[in-house]
Amino acid sequence: MFIILCHLGCGILLFTGLGLPAALWALFLYVVRMLATTAIYHRLIAHGSYQAPRLVWWLGSLLAASAGQMGPSWWKAHHQQHHRHVDSSNDPHTPLLPRAGWQGFWRSQAGWLLGESFHPQSLPADIEADPVLRLIDRLHVLPPLALAWLSWWLGGAQWLGAFCLSTTVLYHAVASVNSVAHLFGEQPFATGDASRNNGWVALLTLGEGWHNLHHAFQGSVRQGITIRRGAVRLLPDPTFRFIRLLQHLGWASRLRQPSERALLARSAS
Ligand SMILES: [Zn+2]
Ligand SMILES: [Zn+2]
């Protein structure tokens, strides 16, 4: 419902226009909340690709929830199901089943949230055991409403429209990892699924589009890696840079990365 409302809320900008301050607000909200989704929800909470103090988990979850990405238990539950059953009938958002083509694309981009697969099969025990994360999960609707109100308070209808635009684009960028990055792009690693490295998706999601590497090495804190002419090559990965920044500040540790030997052993060629 919240994401649908944000789509409709973009219409506000047709009446107010989008000035530079409001556009910068939209961009700021996009980058901060995308990093919370990719660095905290995905690489930290879902995959434990590095370790961080509890405060990072909590603040990151509040920010990711404010983007309409739901709570940490819901997010991790669905993501684990995706990896466990990737591109099979139990994958909640594969673009390939039960039908491929446009119907599959629509299902993976948005349709899966409108059916039974919206409800996770089970919730992750580690997140449920943390009372703060559990509270954020159950009250996940409050952070986006608070941020919408803050936008309105700061700059009126135009800034509320900028919030809606930022949230709508962010939603589709994250969803494109599920849809586009399982349909279009390179497969430098042998994963046995349809995951692909897609540079456009990586640009929009600050590094999450290198999805074939991610399916080959789910615990890797860096996703921007490929194989070219038999050698390991690094690709732009702003989320990884952000986590390295957290590490310099003492807020991230024990970053996990596959060895060159392991990377070459999974090469598809
Ligand atoms: Zn995937
Ligand atoms: Zn993942």
Side-chain angles (χ1 to χ4, degrees), residues 10-262:
C10 293
I12 297 171
L13 297 173
L14 294 175
F15 300 96
T16 63
L18 182 65
L20 185 60
L24 290 175
W25 176 242
L27 183 65
F28 170 74
L29 291 181
Y30 182 89
V31 171
V32 169
R33 295 183 300 163
M34 181 61 84
L35 286 174
T37 307
T38 60
I40 311 298
Y41 263 14
H42 191 208
R43 300 192 199 187
L44 177 64
I45 291 182
H47 290 292
S49 64
Y50 62 100
Q51 295 193 356
R54 243 26 206 176
L55 195 59
V56 172
W57 292 60
W58 299 337
L59 289 176
S61 292
L62 275 174
L63 283 169
S66 78
Q69 288 289 315
M70 303 285 292
S73 289
W74 183 92
W75 210 98
K76 180 169 183 172
H78 277 300
H79 197 68
Q80 284 184 322
Q81 200 182 331
H82 169 61
H83 278 289
R84 211 176 291 133
H85 305 287
V86 57
D87 293 322
S88 76
S89 57
N90 278 328
D91 182 343
H93 45 61
T94 175
L96 304 172
L97 294 168
R99 288 197 179 88
W102 283 110
Q103 283 180 313
F105 183 83
W106 159 253
R107 179 174 177 271
S108 63
Q109 188 73 17
W112 71 281
L113 293 168
L114 302 171
E116 282 201 358
S117 50
F118 176 83
H119 302 286
Q121 291 173 344
S122 62
L123 296 178
D126 60 331
I127 309 302
E128 291 292 294
D130 183 316
V132 178
L133 291 176
R134 201 162 181 268
L135 190 67
I136 295 171
D137 189 79
R138 300 308 186 271
L139 301 178
H140 64 84
V141 73
L142 293 183
L145 290 180
L147 194 55
W149 176 84
L150 177 68
S151 301
W152 170 273
W153 184 74
L154 285 172
Q158 187 181 152
W159 282 47
L160 179 62
F163 163 82
C164 291
L165 179 65
S166 171
T167 306
T168 301
V169 176
L170 188 150
Y171 168 81
H172 283 292
V174 171
S176 69
V177 179
N178 302 334
S179 58
V180 178
H182 274 259
L183 290 169
F184 308 106
E186 296 177 348
Q187 292 188 298
F189 298 99
T191 55
D193 55 40
S195 63
R196 282 146 206 277
N197 278 359
N198 185 298
W200 289 106
V201 177
L203 182 70
L204 289 171
T205 58
L206 308 180
E208 298 277 293
W210 311 123
H211 202 52
N212 181 241
L213 175 286
H214 176 56
H215 272 272
F217 297 94
Q218 294 170 26
S220 174
V221 71
R222 178 169 197 144
Q223 297 187 3
I225 307 173
T226 190
I227 307 276
R228 287 209 186 112
R229 295 189 206 92
V232 173
R233 293 272 182 270
L234 299 178
L235 300 165
D237 188 344
T239 295
F240 172 67
R241 292 281 156 218
F242 173 68
I243 296 168
R244 287 297 293 263
L245 177 65
L246 292 182
Q247 187 182 29
H248 285 304
L249 296 170
W251 296 337
S253 60
R254 302 176 75 172
L255 278 58
R256 295 163 58 197
Q257 288 200 65
S259 66
E260 187 165 334
R261 181 195 290 245

